[in-house]
Amino acid sequence: MAIIVRLDVMLALRKMKSKDLANRIGVSEQNLSLLKSGKVRGVRFETLAAICRELDCQPGDLLEFVADDL
């Protein structure tokens, strides 16, 4: 199973740069980049809520579940 992070898609749709979002939600650009690339093991609900607030989206717009083929 895999969780795919679609943050880059939402940023493009909102015409916002990662740097601007990082500043608005109070996280480092490096941490946001790690989240964007899917290289994190978890995300705080507080951070997820801040991203959704700034991008005017739902958590499901940012995260997608893909089942493994068995």
Side-chain angles (χ1 to χ4, degrees):
M1 93 179 140
I3 301 293
I4 308 300
V5 180
R6 303 280 183 207
L7 181 55
D8 54 344
V9 174
M10 288 307 298
L11 284 167
L13 289 172
R14 300 299 190 255
K15 297 180 177 148
M16 185 182 293
K17 294 181 181 178
S18 295
K19 179 179 181 177
D20 296 331
L21 179 61
N23 288 333
R24 288 183 181 191
I25 65 172
V27 300
S28 70
E29 290 179 56
Q30 182 179 16
N31 284 341
L32 191 63
S33 178
L34 289 170
L35 176 61
K36 227 169 80 168
S37 66
K39 294 182 180 178
V40 295
R41 301 186 91 184
V43 60
R44 291 177 183 241
F45 283 162
E46 181 181 329
T47 303
L48 185 58
I51 292 170
C52 289
R53 182 186 66 241
E54 292 299 325
L55 295 179
D56 189 28
C57 66
Q58 294 294 313
D61 297 328
L62 300 171
L63 305 171
E64 179 183 350
F65 170 75
V66 178
D68 290 336
D69 291 334
L70 295 177

Coordinates of all heavy atoms in Angstrom, one line a residue:
M1 N 0.8 -1.2 0.0 CA 0.0 0.0 0.0 C 0.9 1.2 0.0 O 2.0 1.2 0.5 CB -0.9 0.0 1.2 CG -0.4 0.7 2.4 SD -1.6 0.6 3.7 CE -0.5 0.3 5.0
A2 N 0.4 2.3 -0.6 CA 1.2 3.5 -0.7 C 0.2 4.7 -0.6 O -0.9 4.7 -1.0 CB 1.9 3.6 -2.0
I3 N 0.7 5.8 0.1 CA 0.0 7.0 0.1 C 0.8 8.0 -0.8 O 2.0 8.2 -0.6 CB 0.0 7.6 1.6 CG1 -0.7 6.7 2.5 CG2 -0.7 9.0 1.5 CD1 -2.2 6.5 2.3
I4 N 0.1 8.5 -1.8 CA 0.7 9.4 -2.7 C 0.4 10.9 -2.3 O -0.8 11.2 -2.1 CB 0.2 9.2 -4.2 CG1 0.3 7.7 -4.6 CG2 0.8 10.1 -5.2 CD1 1.7 7.2 -4.6
V5 N 1.4 11.7 -2.2 CA 1.1 13.1 -1.8 C 1.0 13.9 -3.1 O 1.8 13.9 -4.0 CB 2.3 13.6 -1.0 CG1 2.1 15.1 -0.6 CG2 2.5 12.8 0.3
R6 N -0.1 14.6 -3.2 CA -0.5 15.5 -4.4 C -0.3 17.0 -4.1 O -1.0 17.8 -4.7 CB -1.9 15.2 -4.8 CG -2.2 13.7 -5.2 CD -1.6 13.4 -6.5 NE -2.0 12.0 -6.9 CZ -1.3 11.3 -7.7 NH1 -0.2 11.8 -8.3 NH2 -1.6 10.1 -8.0
L7 N 0.5 17.3 -3.1 CA 0.7 18.7 -2.8 C 1.2 19.5 -3.9 O 0.7 20.7 -4.1 CB 1.7 18.8 -1.6 CG 2.0 20.2 -1.1 CD1 0.7 20.9 -0.7 CD2 2.9 20.1 0.1
D8 N 2.1 19.0 -4.8 CA 2.6 19.7 -5.9 C 1.5 20.1 -6.9 O 1.5 21.2 -7.5 CB 3.7 19.0 -6.6 CG 3.3 17.5 -7.0 OD1 2.3 17.0 -6.5 OD2 4.0 17.0 -7.8
V9 N 0.5 19.2 -7.0 CA -0.6 19.4 -7.9 C -1.5 20.6 -7.4 O -1.8 21.5 -8.1 CB -1.5 18.2 -8.1 CG1 -2.8 18.4 -8.9 CG2 -0.7 17.0 -8.7
M10 N -1.8 20.6 -6.1 CA -2.6 21.6 -5.5 C -1.9 23.0 -5.6 O -2.5 24.0 -5.8 CB -3.0 21.3 -4.1 CG -4.0 20.2 -3.9 SD -5.5 20.5 -4.9 CE -6.1 22.0 -4.2
L11 N -0.6 23.0 -5.3 CA 0.2 24.2 -5.4 C 0.1 24.8 -6.9 O -0.1 26.0 -7.1 CB 1.7 24.0 -5.1 CG 2.0 23.9 -3.6 CD1 3.4 23.3 -3.3 CD2 1.8 25.2 -2.9
A12 N 0.2 23.9 -7.9 CA 0.1 24.4 -9.2 C -1.3 24.9 -9.6 O -1.4 25.9 -10.2 CB 0.5 23.2 -10.2
L13 N -2.3 24.2 -9.1 CA -3.7 24.7 -9.3 C -3.9 26.0 -8.7 O -4.7 26.8 -9.2 CB -4.7 23.6 -8.8 CG -4.8 22.3 -9.6 CD1 -5.7 21.3 -8.8 CD2 -5.3 22.6 -11.0
R14 N -3.3 26.2 -7.5 CA -3.5 27.5 -6.8 C -2.5 28.6 -7.2 O -2.5 29.7 -6.7 CB -3.4 27.3 -5.3 CG -4.5 26.3 -4.8 CD -5.9 26.8 -5.0 NE -6.9 26.0 -4.3 CZ -7.6 25.1 -4.9 NH1 -7.6 24.9 -6.2 NH2 -8.5 24.4 -4.1
K15 N -1.6 28.2 -8.1 CA -0.5 29.1 -8.6 C 0.3 29.7 -7.4 O 0.5 30.9 -7.3 CB -1.1 30.2 -9.5 CG -1.7 29.6 -10.7 CD -2.3 30.7 -11.6 CE -2.8 30.0 -12.9 NZ -4.0 30.6 -13.4
M16 N 0.7 28.8 -6.5 CA 1.4 29.2 -5.3 C 2.7 28.5 -5.3 O 2.8 27.3 -5.7 CB 0.6 28.9 -4.1 CG 1.3 29.4 -2.8 SD 0.4 28.9 -1.3 CE -1.1 29.9 -1.5
K17 N 3.8 29.1 -4.8 CA 5.1 28.5 -4.7 C 5.2 27.8 -3.4 O 4.6 28.3 -2.4 CB 6.2 29.6 -4.9 CG 6.2 30.2 -6.2 CD 7.3 31.2 -6.3 CE 7.4 31.8 -7.7 NZ 8.4 32.8 -7.8
S18 N 6.0 26.8 -3.3 CA 6.2 26.1 -2.0 C 6.8 27.0 -1.0 O 6.4 27.0 0.2 CB 7.2 25.0 -2.2 OG 6.7 24.0 -3.1
K19 N 7.7 27.9 -1.4 CA 8.2 28.9 -0.4 C 7.2 29.7 0.2 O 7.2 30.0 1.4 CB 9.2 29.8 -1.2 CG 9.9 30.8 -0.4 CD 10.9 31.6 -1.2 CE 11.6 32.7 -0.3 NZ 12.6 33.4 -1.1
D20 N 6.2 30.2 -0.6 CA 5.1 31.0 0.0 C 4.2 30.3 0.9 O 3.9 30.8 2.0 CB 4.3 31.6 -1.2 CG 5.1 32.6 -2.1 OD1 6.0 33.2 -1.6 OD2 4.7 32.7 -3.3
L21 N 3.9 29.0 0.6 CA 3.1 28.2 1.4 C 3.8 27.9 2.7 O 3.3 28.0 3.8 CB 2.7 26.9 0.7 CG 1.9 25.9 1.6 CD1 0.5 26.5 2.0 CD2 1.7 24.6 0.9
A22 N 5.1 27.6 2.7 CA 5.9 27.3 3.9 C 5.9 28.5 4.8 O 5.7 28.3 6.0 CB 7.3 26.9 3.5
N23 N 6.0 29.7 4.3 CA 6.0 30.9 5.1 C 4.7 31.1 5.7 O 4.6 31.5 6.9 CB 6.4 32.1 4.3 CG 7.9 32.1 3.9 OD1 8.7 31.6 4.7 ND2 8.2 32.8 2.8
R24 N 3.6 30.9 5.0 CA 2.2 31.1 5.5 C 1.8 30.1 6.6 O 1.1 30.5 7.5 CB 1.2 31.0 4.3 CG 1.3 32.1 3.4 CD 0.2 32.0 2.3 NE 0.2 33.0 1.4 CZ -0.7 33.2 0.5 NH1 -1.8 32.4 0.4 NH2 -0.6 34.2 -0.4
I25 N 2.3 28.9 6.5 CA 1.9 27.9 7.5 C 3.0 27.7 8.6 O 2.7 27.0 9.6 CB 1.6 26.5 6.9 CG1 2.8 25.9 6.2 CG2 0.4 26.7 5.9 CD1 2.5 24.5 5.7
G26 N 4.1 28.4 8.5 CA 5.1 28.3 9.5 C 5.9 27.1 9.6 O 6.3 26.6 10.7
V27 N 6.3 26.5 8.5 CA 7.2 25.3 8.4 C 8.3 25.7 7.5 O 8.2 26.6 6.7 CB 6.5 24.0 7.9 CG1 5.4 23.6 8.8 CG2 6.0 24.2 6.5
S28 N 9.4 25.0 7.6 CA 10.6 25.3 6.8 C 10.3 24.8 5.4 O 9.5 23.9 5.2 CB 11.8 24.6 7.4 OG 11.7 23.2 7.2
E29 N 11.0 25.4 4.4 CA 10.9 25.0 3.0 C 11.3 23.6 2.9 O 10.8 22.8 2.1 CB 11.7 25.9 2.1 CG 11.1 27.3 2.0 CD 12.0 28.2 1.1 OE1 12.2 27.8 0.0 OE2 12.4 29.3 1.6
Q30 N 12.4 23.2 3.6 CA 12.9 21.8 3.5 C 11.9 20.8 4.0 O 11.7 19.8 3.4 CB 14.2 21.7 4.4 CG 14.8 20.4 4.3 CD 16.1 20.3 5.1 OE1 16.3 21.1 6.0 NE2 16.9 19.3 4.9
N31 N 11.2 21.1 5.1 CA 10.2 20.1 5.6 C 9.0 20.0 4.6 O 8.5 18.9 4.4 CB 9.7 20.5 7.0 CG 10.7 20.2 8.1 OD1 11.5 19.4 7.9 ND2 10.5 20.8 9.2
L32 N 8.6 21.2 4.0 CA 7.5 21.1 3.0 C 8.0 20.3 1.8 O 7.2 19.6 1.2 CB 7.1 22.5 2.7 CG 5.8 22.6 1.9 CD1 4.6 22.1 2.7 CD2 5.6 24.1 1.4
S33 N 9.2 20.5 1.4 CA 9.8 19.8 0.3 C 9.7 18.3 0.5 O 9.4 17.5 -0.4 CB 11.2 20.2 0.0 OG 11.7 19.5 -1.1
L34 N 10.1 17.9 1.7 CA 10.1 16.4 2.1 C 8.7 15.9 2.1 O 8.4 14.8 1.6 CB 10.7 16.2 3.5 CG 12.2 16.4 3.6 CD1 12.6 16.4 5.1 CD2 12.9 15.3 2.8
L35 N 7.7 16.7 2.5 CA 6.3 16.3 2.5 C 5.9 16.2 1.0 O 5.2 15.2 0.6 CB 5.4 17.3 3.2 CG 3.9 17.0 3.2 CD1 3.6 15.7 3.8 CD2 3.2 18.1 3.9
K36 N 6.2 17.1 0.2 CA 5.8 17.1 -1.2 C 6.4 15.9 -1.9 O 5.7 15.3 -2.8 CB 6.4 18.4 -1.9 CG 5.4 19.2 -2.7 CD 6.0 20.5 -3.1 CE 6.9 20.4 -4.2 NZ 7.3 21.7 -4.8
S37 N 7.5 15.5 -1.6 CA 8.2 14.4 -2.3 C 7.7 13.0 -1.7 O 8.1 12.0 -2.2 CB 9.7 14.5 -2.2 OG 10.1 14.3 -0.9
G38 N 7.0 13.1 -0.6 CA 6.5 11.8 0.0 C 7.5 11.1 0.9 O 7.4 9.9 1.2
K39 N 8.6 11.8 1.2 CA 9.7 11.2 2.0 C 9.5 11.4 3.5 O 10.5 11.3 4.2 CB 11.0 11.8 1.6 CG 11.3 11.5 0.1 CD 12.7 12.0 -0.2 CE 13.0 11.7 -1.7 NZ 14.3 12.2 -2.1
V40 N 8.3 11.6 4.0 CA 8.0 11.7 5.4 C 7.2 10.5 5.9 O 6.6 9.9 5.1 CB 7.3 13.0 5.8 CG1 8.1 14.2 5.5 CG2 6.0 13.1 5.0
R41 N 7.3 10.2 7.1 CA 6.6 9.0 7.7 C 5.3 9.4 8.2 O 4.4 8.6 8.5 CB 7.4 8.4 8.7 CG 8.8 7.9 8.2 CD 9.5 7.1 9.2 NE 9.1 5.7 9.0 CZ 9.5 4.7 9.7 NH1 10.3 5.0 10.8 NH2 9.2 3.5 9.5
G42 N 5.1 10.7 8.4 CA 3.8 11.2 9.0 C 3.7 12.7 8.8 O 4.7 13.4 8.5
V43 N 2.5 13.2 9.1 CA 2.3 14.6 9.1 C 1.3 15.0 10.2 O 0.4 14.2 10.4 CB 1.7 15.1 7.7 CG1 0.4 14.4 7.3 CG2 1.6 16.6 7.6
R44 N 1.6 16.0 10.9 CA 0.7 16.4 12.0 C -0.6 17.0 11.4 O -0.6 17.6 10.4 CB 1.4 17.5 12.8 CG 2.5 17.1 13.6 CD 3.2 18.3 14.3 NE 4.3 17.9 15.0 CZ 4.5 17.9 16.3 NH1 3.5 18.5 17.1 NH2 5.6 17.5 16.9
F45 N -1.7 16.7 12.1 CA -3.0 17.2 11.7 C -3.0 18.7 11.7 O -3.6 19.3 10.8 CB -4.1 16.7 12.6 CG -4.5 15.2 12.3 CD1 -5.2 14.5 13.3 CD2 -4.2 14.6 11.2 CE1 -5.6 13.2 13.1 CE2 -4.5 13.3 11.0 CZ -5.2 12.6 11.9
E46 N -2.3 19.3 12.6 CA -2.2 20.8 12.6 C -1.6 21.3 11.3 O -2.1 22.3 10.8 CB -1.4 21.2 13.8 CG -1.2 22.7 14.0 CD -0.3 23.0 15.2 OE1 -0.4 22.3 16.2 OE2 0.3 24.1 15.2
T47 N -0.5 20.7 10.9 CA 0.1 21.1 9.6 C -0.8 20.8 8.4 O -0.9 21.7 7.5 CB 1.5 20.3 9.4 OG1 2.3 20.6 10.6 CG2 2.2 20.7 8.2
L48 N -1.4 19.6 8.4 CA -2.3 19.3 7.3 C -3.5 20.3 7.3 O -3.9 20.8 6.2 CB -2.9 17.9 7.5 CG -3.7 17.3 6.4 CD1 -3.0 17.3 5.1 CD2 -4.2 15.9 6.8
A49 N -4.0 20.7 8.4 CA -5.1 21.7 8.5 C -4.6 23.0 8.0 O -5.4 23.7 7.2 CB -5.6 21.8 9.9
A50 N -3.4 23.4 8.3 CA -2.9 24.7 7.8 C -2.7 24.7 6.3 O -3.0 25.7 5.6 CB -1.6 25.0 8.5
I51 N -2.2 23.6 5.8 CA -2.1 23.5 4.3 C -3.4 23.6 3.6 O -3.6 24.3 2.7 CB -1.4 22.2 3.9 CG1 0.1 22.2 4.4 CG2 -1.4 21.9 2.4 CD1 0.8 20.9 4.3
C52 N -4.4 22.9 4.2 CA -5.8 22.9 3.6 C -6.4 24.3 3.7 O -7.0 24.7 2.7 CB -6.7 21.9 4.3 SG -6.2 20.2 3.9
R53 N -6.1 25.0 4.8 CA -6.7 26.3 4.9 C -6.1 27.3 3.9 O -6.8 28.0 3.2 CB -6.4 26.8 6.3 CG -6.9 28.3 6.6 CD -6.5 28.8 7.9 NE -5.0 29.0 8.0 CZ -4.2 28.4 8.8 NH1 -4.6 27.6 9.7 NH2 -2.9 28.7 8.7
E54 N -4.8 27.2 3.7 CA -4.1 28.1 2.8 C -4.4 27.8 1.3 O -4.4 28.7 0.5 CB -2.6 28.1 3.0 CG -2.2 28.7 4.3 CD -2.6 30.2 4.4 OE1 -2.6 30.9 3.4 OE2 -2.9 30.6 5.6
L55 N -4.6 26.5 1.0 CA -4.8 26.1 -0.4 C -6.3 25.9 -0.7 O -6.7 25.6 -1.8 CB -4.1 24.8 -0.7 CG -2.6 24.8 -0.7 CD1 -2.0 23.5 -1.0 CD2 -2.0 25.9 -1.6
D56 N -7.1 26.2 0.3 CA -8.6 26.0 0.2 C -9.0 24.7 -0.4 O -9.6 24.6 -1.5 CB -9.2 27.2 -0.7 CG -10.7 27.2 -0.6 OD1 -11.3 26.8 0.4 OD2 -11.3 27.7 -1.7
C57 N -8.5 23.6 0.3 CA -8.8 22.3 -0.2 C -9.1 21.4 1.0 O -9.1 21.8 2.1 CB -7.6 21.8 -1.0 SG -6.1 21.5 0.0
Q58 N -9.3 20.1 0.7 CA -9.6 19.1 1.7 C -8.4 18.1 1.7 O -7.6 18.0 0.7 CB -10.8 18.3 1.3 CG -12.1 19.1 1.3 CD -12.5 19.5 2.7 OE1 -12.5 18.7 3.6 NE2 -12.8 20.8 2.8
P59 N -8.2 17.4 2.8 CA -7.1 16.5 2.9 C -7.1 15.5 1.8 O -6.0 15.1 1.3 CB -7.3 15.8 4.3 CG -8.0 16.8 5.1 CD -8.9 17.5 4.1
G60 N -8.2 15.1 1.3 CA -8.3 14.1 0.2 C -7.8 14.7 -1.1 O -7.5 13.9 -2.0
D61 N -7.7 16.0 -1.2 CA -7.1 16.6 -2.4 C -5.6 16.5 -2.4 O -5.0 16.6 -3.4 CB -7.5 18.1 -2.5 CG -9.0 18.3 -2.6 OD1 -9.7 17.4 -3.2 OD2 -9.5 19.3 -2.1
L62 N -5.0 16.3 -1.2 CA -3.6 16.3 -1.0 C -3.0 14.9 -0.9 O -1.9 14.7 -1.3 CB -3.2 17.0 0.3 CG -3.6 18.5 0.3 CD1 -3.3 19.0 1.7 CD2 -2.8 19.3 -0.7
L63 N -3.8 13.9 -0.5 CA -3.4 12.6 -0.2 C -4.2 11.6 -1.0 O -5.4 11.7 -1.0 CB -3.4 12.2 1.3 CG -2.7 13.2 2.2 CD1 -3.0 12.9 3.6 CD2 -1.1 13.1 1.9
E64 N -3.6 10.6 -1.5 CA -4.3 9.5 -2.3 C -3.7 8.1 -1.9 O -2.5 8.0 -1.8 CB -4.0 9.7 -3.8 CG -4.7 8.7 -4.6 CD -4.4 8.9 -6.1 OE1 -3.8 9.9 -6.5 OE2 -4.7 7.9 -6.9
F65 N -4.6 7.2 -1.6 CA -4.2 5.8 -1.3 C -4.2 5.0 -2.6 O -5.1 5.0 -3.3 CB -5.2 5.2 -0.3 CG -5.0 3.8 -0.1 CD1 -3.9 3.3 0.7 CD2 -5.9 2.8 -0.6 CE1 -3.7 2.0 0.9 CE2 -5.7 1.5 -0.4 CZ -4.6 1.1 0.3
V66 N -3.1 4.3 -2.7 CA -3.0 3.3 -3.9 C -2.6 2.0 -3.3 O -1.6 1.8 -2.6 CB -1.9 3.8 -4.8 CG1 -1.7 2.8 -6.0 CG2 -2.2 5.2 -5.4
A67 N -3.5 1.0 -3.6 CA -3.3 -0.4 -3.1 C -2.2 -1.1 -3.9 O -2.1 -0.9 -5.1 CB -4.6 -1.2 -3.1
D68 N -1.5 -2.0 -3.2 CA -0.5 -2.8 -3.9 C -1.3 -3.9 -4.7 O -2.3 -4.4 -4.3 CB 0.4 -3.5 -2.9 CG 1.3 -2.5 -2.2 OD1 1.6 -1.5 -2.8 OD2 1.8 -2.9 -1.1
D69 N -0.7 -4.2 -5.9 CA -1.3 -5.3 -6.7 C -0.8 -6.6 -6.1 O 0.4 -6.8 -5.9 CB -0.8 -5.2 -8.1 CG -1.5 -4.0 -8.8 OD1 -2.6 -3.6 -8.4 OD2 -0.9 -3.5 -9.8
L70 N -1.7 -7.5 -5.7 CA -1.2 -8.8 -5.2 C -1.6 -9.9 -6.1 O -2.4 -9.9 -6.9 CB -1.9 -9.0 -3.8 CG -1.6 -8.1 -2.7 CD1 -2.4 -8.4 -1.5 CD2 -0.1 -8.2 -2.4

